[in-house]
Amino acid sequence: MPLLSNDHYRVGRSKTGLGLFALKPIKKGAKIIRYFGPLLDAHNKKHDGIENKYLFELNKRWTIDGSVRKNVARYINHACKPNAESDVNPRKKRVIIRAIKNIEPGEEINYDYGTDYFKAYLKPIGCKCVSCEKKRKKKAAEARAEKANLKLKAERKAQAEAEKAARKAAKAAGKAKPEKPEKVAKPKAPKAVKAKTTAKSKRAGKAAKTKVVTAKAGKTKAAQPAKTTSLRKTAASKSKAA
């Protein structure tokens, strides 16, 4: 299968800078574009100093330096869930980018750069592919939801504690008895005076009883002579009559 013509794609602005976008529908399995550039030999000491993010390693010895301008395939960005892949032929020292899904017009073309490249260049700054962006957004949404849930739980707990405290306070207030006004203590007479008064009262009572008895006794004595006189008169009357 031949490579697609360059009217099937274009270089355009993407989230990560520049990218390669489909202009026409690309079927699954189609050979989209070739990744090319000067070959670097690991046995050549002059090549050891060349370092850039467009190096495509074919094997331990050969690497393609894809930094040349004519290599339009260098604009294809990495994706963790890509719609294309790199078909590497170490023997021919050739790399072809091939579609592994149907790609619609306007869709960005991407492939997986591999573990080594990911660790060296993408992991430190964070992968910005569509799949990773969705994961980050999902995690952020879950974190926000969890935070909101914890906040709601805390508010409910605080409300429940406040209601419990209010019920406890109301119950305590219902059980509490109203305070009675303090009684003013009446002044008490000293014991000595009270005893004296009592003794005096007792003596006064006894004196009163004595007077009453005396009066009765006197009345009885006074009546007796009169009775005697009357008897005598009666007796005398009887004597005279005789």
Side-chain angles (χ1 to χ4, degrees):
M1 184 182 290
L3 292 173
L4 297 176
S5 59
N6 56 10
D7 62 348
H8 282 76
Y9 46 79
R10 68 174 179 83
V11 177
R13 183 66 58 183
S14 71
K15 292 181 179 180
T16 57
L18 294 176
L20 196 68
F21 294 83
L23 291 173
K24 296 180 180 180
I26 300 174
K27 292 182 179 181
K28 179 181 178 180
K31 293 179 180 180
I32 302 171
I33 193 172
R34 179 185 171 191
Y35 194 99
F36 69 94
L39 289 172
L40 304 180
D41 188 352
H43 296 169
N44 189 338
K45 292 182 179 180
K46 291 180 179 180
H47 294 168
D48 291 342
I50 299 174
E51 184 67 33
N52 61 65
K53 61 181 180 179
Y54 299 111
L55 298 179
F56 198 115
E57 189 179 277
L58 298 171
N59 51 37
K60 291 182 179 180
R61 181 175 179 180
W62 298 103
T63 299
I64 297 174
D65 182 3
S67 61
V68 294
R69 280 182 171 269
K70 291 183 180 181
N71 179 31
V72 180
R74 69 178 181 155
Y75 294 109
I76 302 175
N77 290 311
H78 163 85
C80 294
K81 291 184 178 180
N83 52 21
E85 67 178 0
S86 57
D87 186 3
V88 182
N89 190 330
R91 186 175 63 83
K92 292 183 179 181
K93 301 179 183 64
R94 189 176 180 181
V95 177
I96 301 295
I97 307 303
R98 182 176 59 188
I100 58 174
K101 295 179 180 179
N102 290 331
I103 303 173
E104 299 298 327
E107 189 177 349
E108 185 175 1
I109 301 167
N110 44 54
Y111 67 94
D112 191 346
Y113 284 5
T115 305
D116 294 339
Y117 187 95
F118 185 89
K119 289 181 178 180
Y121 295 99
L122 299 177
K123 190 175 181 179
I125 62 173
C127 181
K128 297 178 181 179
C129 73
V130 176
S131 177
C132 290
E133 284 291 334
K134 286 182 178 179
K135 286 181 181 179
R136 276 193 291 272
K137 287 180 180 179
K138 185 178 179 181
K139 286 183 179 179
E142 289 175 351
R144 287 193 298 270
E146 182 66 20
K147 187 177 181 180
N149 190 27
L150 291 174
K151 184 178 179 181
L152 182 61
K153 284 183 178 179
E155 289 176 353
R156 286 177 178 175
K157 185 178 180 181
Q159 185 178 359
E161 289 178 352
E163 291 176 354
K164 185 177 179 181
R167 288 194 298 269
K168 189 175 181 181
K171 189 175 181 181
K175 286 184 177 181
K177 294 180 179 179
E179 294 183 0
K180 294 182 179 180
E182 293 184 0
K183 293 182 178 180
V184 179
K186 294 181 179 180
K188 295 181 179 180
K191 290 182 178 180
V193 174
K194 187 176 180 182
K196 186 176 181 181
T197 304
T198 303
K200 186 176 181 182
S201 299
K202 286 181 178 179
R203 287 196 298 273
K206 287 180 179 180
K209 287 179 180 180
T210 304
K211 286 181 180 180
V212 171
V213 173
T214 306
K216 287 181 179 181
K219 186 177 180 182
T220 304
K221 288 179 181 180
Q224 284 177 357
K227 189 176 181 181
T228 305
T229 305
S230 177
L231 290 172
R232 284 178 180 178
K233 284 181 178 181
T234 303
S237 301
K238 288 181 177 180
S239 297
K240 289 179 176 181

